[in-house]
Amino acid sequence: MQADIRQVADGIHLVHGSNTNWVILTEGDAVTLVDTGYPGDREKVLASLAAVGSSPEAVTAVLVTHAHNDHLGSAEYLSSTYGTPVYTHEAEVPHARRDFLHQVTVGQVLRNAWRPGVVPWAVHALRSGGTAHVPVAQPRAFPGEGALDLPGRPVPVHTPGHTAGHCAFHLPEAGVVISGDGLVNGHPTSRLAGPQLLPVMFHHDRGRALASLDAFEALPGDILLPGHGPVYRGSVREAAGRARERAA
């Protein structure tokens, strides 16, 4: 099955892989790839680059919102095969190296197996490499404050809670926020549709994840590209507020 690719603005594509999303930012012949899906999504990642007229060789950098396997899946492959640098927040660098792992445990999944959608999601995650060991050998912290000198000129915004170094990316000129798992628009284990936090079991620190909605509310934009779920068109501030109300 091919990935579902949606152009949301000039040079900005949201790609729906298998239960997770990544974003392709193009500028001329160069590309910034934000997240890389599960390890099992590799062919979809490569096919999505080809579908927008690009290639893995053209990827200037991989940006990682956070180092869970469903977002980190092919980061080391691109780094080791094509020399692509992999950037993430400084607090997420050791997580990407797998100095430690802050990820939902098998025990937590089993305790929540009665919830609708959890068992099918878990089976899919296992088949897609959700428990594979895919560390990035040399992840790099963002080189400075403000916009990155990369296609799309994304601005990192630290939004901790889902993981300690979780980071969103703001594209001010396009009015776009790439939210990773800090603010999603649906998930296979959630009964809700629309803007929301992920279910409690997925967060390393749910209190901080809730507090990070303040950061999303401060970002001007009217297109939200989440780590899970479809594109959200509307005020990002209002989307974050709705997620807060649902989490209360």
Side-chain angles (χ1 to χ4, degrees):
M1 184 177 67
Q2 294 296 313
D4 179 5
I5 305 169
R6 303 295 177 98
Q7 182 171 352
V8 298
D10 288 345
I12 304 173
H13 293 81
L14 178 67
V15 186
H16 301 290
S18 59
N19 285 358
T20 192
N21 303 332
W22 55 91
V23 177
I24 301 173
L25 307 176
T26 62
E27 190 174 291
D29 295 330
V31 165
T32 301
L33 179 62
V34 184
D35 288 342
T36 65
Y38 279 103
D41 285 333
R42 182 171 302 164
E43 292 306 314
K44 291 184 175 70
V45 171
L46 298 178
S48 68
L49 290 170
V52 301
S54 189
S55 67
E57 292 90 346
V59 179
T60 303
V62 171
L63 303 182
V64 176
T65 60
H66 65 292
H68 284 162
N69 273 19
D70 58 333
H71 298 260
L72 193 71
S74 289
E76 176 58 23
Y77 166 78
L78 292 168
S79 179
S80 61
T81 305
Y82 300 99
T84 312
V86 178
Y87 291 99
T88 192
H89 188 273
E90 61 181 355
E92 200 72 0
V93 166
H95 195 198
R97 285 197 306 254
R98 287 297 181 263
D99 296 355
F100 54 82
L101 179 60
H102 288 161
Q103 189 162 290
V104 64
T105 66
V106 173
Q108 287 173 307
V109 172
L110 291 175
R111 287 193 294 274
N112 286 273
W114 60 274
R115 297 180 183 276
V118 169
V119 170
W121 165 82
V123 170
H124 176 272
L126 287 170
R127 289 176 174 171
S128 301
T131 59
H133 187 59
V134 289
V136 178
Q138 296 181 316
R140 308 180 190 184
F142 303 127
E145 298 292 329
L148 301 174
D149 187 18
L150 296 170
R153 299 297 184 268
V155 180
V157 181
H158 190 207
T159 48
H162 185 64
T163 64
H166 187 282
C167 198
F169 297 96
H170 187 208
L171 311 177
E173 292 186 6
V176 170
V177 175
I178 302 169
S179 59
D181 284 5
L183 175 59
V184 301
N185 198 28
H187 190 268
T189 65
S190 173
R191 295 180 177 181
L192 300 175
Q196 60 191 281
L197 290 179
L198 284 171
V200 173
M201 69 174 176
F202 292 112
H203 295 299
H204 176 62
D205 185 334
R206 187 176 183 275
R208 291 188 78 190
L210 185 60
S212 284
L213 291 175
D214 291 348
F216 285 109
E217 287 183 313
L219 297 176
D222 54 11
I223 299 176
L224 182 75
L225 305 184
H228 302 276
V231 58
Y232 176 86
R233 295 185 182 274
S235 165
V236 173
R237 178 183 178 85
E238 292 178 5
R242 187 176 177 192
R244 185 190 304 282
E245 291 171 0
R246 290 173 151 189

